[in-house]
Amino acid sequence: MRKGLLFIFMLMLSAFLVACGSSESSDESASDNNGGEEASDSKWSEIQESGEIVVGTSGTLFPASYYPEDSDQMTGYDVEIMREVADRLNLELKFEEYGVDGLLSAIKSGRIDAVINDMEVTKDRQEQFTFSEPYKYSYSTMIVRESDLSGIEKLEDLEGKTHGGGATTVFSRIAEHFGAETKTYGNVTNDVYLRDVENGNTDFIINDYYLQSLALKALPELEVKLHPDLKFHPTNSAIVMPKEADKMKEEIDAVLKEMREDGTLTKISEEFFGGKDASERPETDIRELEGLDL
């Protein structure tokens, strides 16, 4: 029986880098567009004919996609949203589990039809994939020492500080943009990150607001806290589909809209985010980051 990997902190939100293509003639572009429409219709027809949609997820990202301890039944905010979407589309749902780095390549290779794994919509990814309407809105914040906020009052104070995180994440890019050095970790549990902030081995951890809130709730004995003033880099997460999958997007968006209007998204969010509604845009001022293309 599988053990749950609870409170995995490292959201692998690094941009999916793509090579720039050359411009094409109008005739070639028209041909490409027609091909895209055919591919889109073909993909959705294929899904309808089989009666099944195959969706990639990690199964290790709490609370989006994970196995509860002592359970072999995957659940999470993203997982339950996808189950509801498939049900309303009258489709069987099959999850395929991949490491985060392999999820998008699995779409490209045709091994899966879509991805749901708290996947942030970025400019780079939009060049290669189609995204549904967002089902989650959030922003970045940071965990600091409770006693002195790690000497950080504003983002510009990060210069010379040490950030705990993954080497290629968006969060590390933000920290390094403001002059911090990142101390990298392997696939360790959340308490390792937090204890390093508490004991001064690192100064702060940038990550998603909702995930950090849950981490602190799980480890209340540690003398660390969310920074009370720093809210930045607004984000949204969506279902990822093949490029030009217009019909598939249309069908999924219609269901997500219905789920938003009838309160289903809110209900699922409150279950997994401690009563908070991540399906709505946060009602707070969030700083956009200039000079950093994420």
Side-chain angles (χ1 to χ4, degrees), residues 156-170:
E156 287 71 17
D157 293 334
L158 300 185
E159 186 170 0
K161 303 285 187 182
T162 302
H163 169 242
T168 61
T169 63
V170 165

Side-chain angles (χ1 to χ4, degrees), residues 32-44:
D32 286 347
N33 288 337
N34 289 336
E37 290 174 5
E38 290 173 3
S40 171
D41 291 342
S42 174
K43 169 55 73 175
W44 183 244

Side-chain angles (χ1 to χ4, degrees), residues 63-235:
S65 168
Y66 70 102
Y67 288 86
E69 191 169 1
D70 297 324
S71 173
D72 56 7
Q73 177 69 31
M74 186 164 56
T75 189
Y77 179 54
D78 292 39
V79 169
E80 299 308 325
I81 284 175
M82 198 67 231
R83 285 198 172 112
E84 184 69 18
V85 168
D87 184 63
R88 296 193 188 199
L89 290 172
N90 296 314
L91 295 171
E92 294 294 323
L93 173 62
K94 180 181 179 182
F95 282 114
E96 294 281 356
E97 293 173 44
Y98 291 87
V100 177
D101 290 338
L103 286 169
L104 297 182
S105 60
I107 292 182
K108 282 196 157 189
S109 68
R111 297 194 300 274
I112 58 177
D113 301 316
V115 163
I116 188 164
N117 200 65
D118 201 20
M119 194 69 70
E120 181 180 349
V121 182
T122 67
K123 292 179 182 178
D124 287 335
R125 288 172 178 161
Q126 285 178 312
E127 291 181 15
Q128 296 192 77
F129 303 95
T130 294
F131 285 84
S132 71
E133 288 299 305
Y135 60 83
K136 178 191 172 196
Y137 297 92
S138 189
Y139 58 89
S140 297
T141 184
M142 66 177 70
I143 287 176
V144 292
R145 282 184 290 279
E146 197 170 77
S147 58
D148 63 351
L149 303 183
S150 299
I152 299 167
E153 294 183 6
K154 55 187 183 300
L155 288 174
E156 287 71 17
D157 293 334
L158 300 185
E159 186 170 0
K161 303 285 187 182
T162 302
H163 169 242
T168 61
T169 63
V170 165
F171 309 120
S172 291
R173 290 175 62 189
I174 292 171
E176 290 158 12
H177 175 76
F178 286 98
E181 176 184 353
T182 293
K183 175 182 178 181
T184 60
Y185 296 78
N187 193 26
V188 298
T189 54
N190 212 33
D191 63 299
V192 176
Y193 285 86
L194 299 182
R195 291 186 194 283
D196 268 5
V197 174
E198 182 185 46
N199 63 32
N201 286 339
T202 59
D203 297 303
F204 66 100
I205 304 164
I206 296 177
N207 210 285
D208 176 80
Y209 162 72
Y210 289 105
L211 295 187
Q212 300 220 80
S213 298
L214 288 169
L216 292 177
K217 185 176 180 181
L219 297 163
E221 73 277 9
L222 298 182
E223 295 182 359
V224 295
K225 63 185 292 185
L226 285 181
H227 199 291
D229 303 318
L230 298 183
K231 302 172 183 179
F232 49 94
H233 182 50
T235 60

